Amino acid sequence: MTVSQPSAVEVGLMAGRAGYVLRANDRGRFTVASPTLYPHMWSWDAGFVALGIATVSVPRALDELRTLLTGQWATGMIPHILFHSPSDYFPGPERWRTQVAAARPLEVLTSGICQPPIHVIALSRILHDARRRGGTDQQLAEDFVRETFDQWLAWHQYLATARDPYSYGLVEIHHGWESGMDDSPRWDVPYANVHPQPDMPPFVRADLAHVADPSQRPSDAEYARYLWLLEQKVRVRYDDAAYRSTGDFVVGDVLVSALLAAASDLLADMGEELGIGGGSSGGVEQSRAIARRFRTGVLRSVDPDTGLARDLDLRTGNWLEVESAAGFAPLLCGGDEAVTRRQRDLLLGPRWCGHSRLRWPVVPSVSPASADFRERTYWRGPQWPVLNWLMAWALNRSGEQEAANQLRLAGLSQLIDCDFAEYYEPVTGETLGSRDQSWTAAIALDFLAARRPAQRRPVRWLTSELPRITPAQRAAHQAAQHQRAAGHRPAHGHGPATRPQPQQRPG
């Protein structure tokens, strides 16, 4: 499918609507992941949210990351949820019981596991925007990097030590939720070895109340495994070494490892530019060493036959052979031009973005050609705008600007209805999960800021126009878009996108 730049009207509507979503989800010093289903601050959501907000307000973007750091543990870990206020979200702080951990922060309740280290990638993007604007924005951003450099370094060192004690070069995760791809088929084999015990506390699921079709969600048996891993962490007081000896799920995650390598290089770049962490034992050299080790680990994981990177089950020592988007981890961290070129061709080819069944040629979470592909189930096939952003960012960073722009334009076309859904059905294009998702709105703003693949321009937050973007106008615009799209859909296409009931993420 050929996609083109959105029109000036579409840009204005999307920018205004995205700004409206982020304002509605703003809680002063942080942004909730969505209006009602996810009423707290999620770690890697916050990174994407911050880079989107930076297109309109660098100070507010920095506040997002500053608030996230208030939840950092003494170990350096940044937890995957910060609970700033009571809610009925499950599992909430009463299930996590992180008060048993000596390293927990005292100022805010948190979960006891982490998520992918996207944050320094976002910070680098924010610093880029701030320097482009100059003046106060540049000063604030550079001061923030100086102020928080050691905290980001501690976060990366936690992953490089507590989560890679044997220097495999792969970050060890203790729960599928830590990958960000909660129920991906990447984890089917290790989850089969998770055996909940009868003494696990009972639970009542909250997620099924938000879906019309429960088959889109994990089964009760699967959910019990998720909560049993949480319980195992509680019982060892969130001690990583103790969990490693007793826990059921220990996997080397290639996507988390690639993000750590890329983020560590960027942290070192910022340190060098600002004169922070110099010397042979300083933060810059430590960051470079982390980047080298995990880039090597990711490249070692590539299957020579498929060209995709593989996760490693550290309980069994077996590679996990799954055609998920995480297989493109080498694109994120680089290190081998031949691998990068092959991965680019795979990503844009007929098994992935170029697959004939896809409504939009953006990154699916699982290859549509794979037996594991399930187009309506969470991370088992649907398209996630944040994943598409990551791959576009990686291609642009590796010098593949035209390929990056191709993904950016296709991503904007997918978001043109301004629903800003959590994820999208890849064949019909319909919205899935929650609507008005903060990180999706943020991705739209960042994509709009890049009119050319190697340039970024400011996106005006259309506050004066927000009251005029009424539901009726928005519905009329969507109807026109669907009618226009129907005129050039392939024969296998389906009707206009519908809006099924939103569903809650497992963790």
Side-chain angles (χ1 to χ4, degrees), residues 14 26 39 43 62 159 163 168 174 234 299 340 423 476 489 493:
M14 189 181 295
D26 190 299
S43 170
L62 297 175
L159 294 172
R163 295 305 189 92
Y168 290 133
H174 297 162
V234 172
L299 291 173
T340 297
Y423 50 105
R489 282 185 184 171

Side-chain angles (χ1 to χ4, degrees), residues 81-158:
I81 305 176
L82 276 63
F83 300 103
H84 288 97
S85 59
S87 77
D88 60 356
Y89 180 82
F90 181 84
E94 68 287 343
R95 191 79 184 199
W96 288 100
R97 310 197 299 285
T98 54
Q99 65 270 22
V100 303
R104 75 191 188 284
L106 300 179
E107 297 81 9
V108 61
L109 294 171
T110 76
S111 67
I113 59 175
C114 55
Q115 276 188 321
I118 185 71
H119 316 95
V120 170
I121 293 174
L123 179 57
S124 175
R125 192 74 159 213
I126 293 167
L127 182 61
H128 180 280
D129 279 349
R131 285 173 167 166
R132 176 179 48 77
R133 296 179 183 186
T136 302
D137 279 351
Q138 178 174 347
Q139 187 64 51
L140 286 172
E142 291 182 350
D143 287 348
F144 180 81
V145 174
R146 294 186 181 96
E147 168 196 338
T148 60
F149 182 89
D150 288 344
Q151 288 178 273
W152 301 121
L153 179 60
W155 166 221
H156 293 176
Q157 287 175 324
Y158 165 78

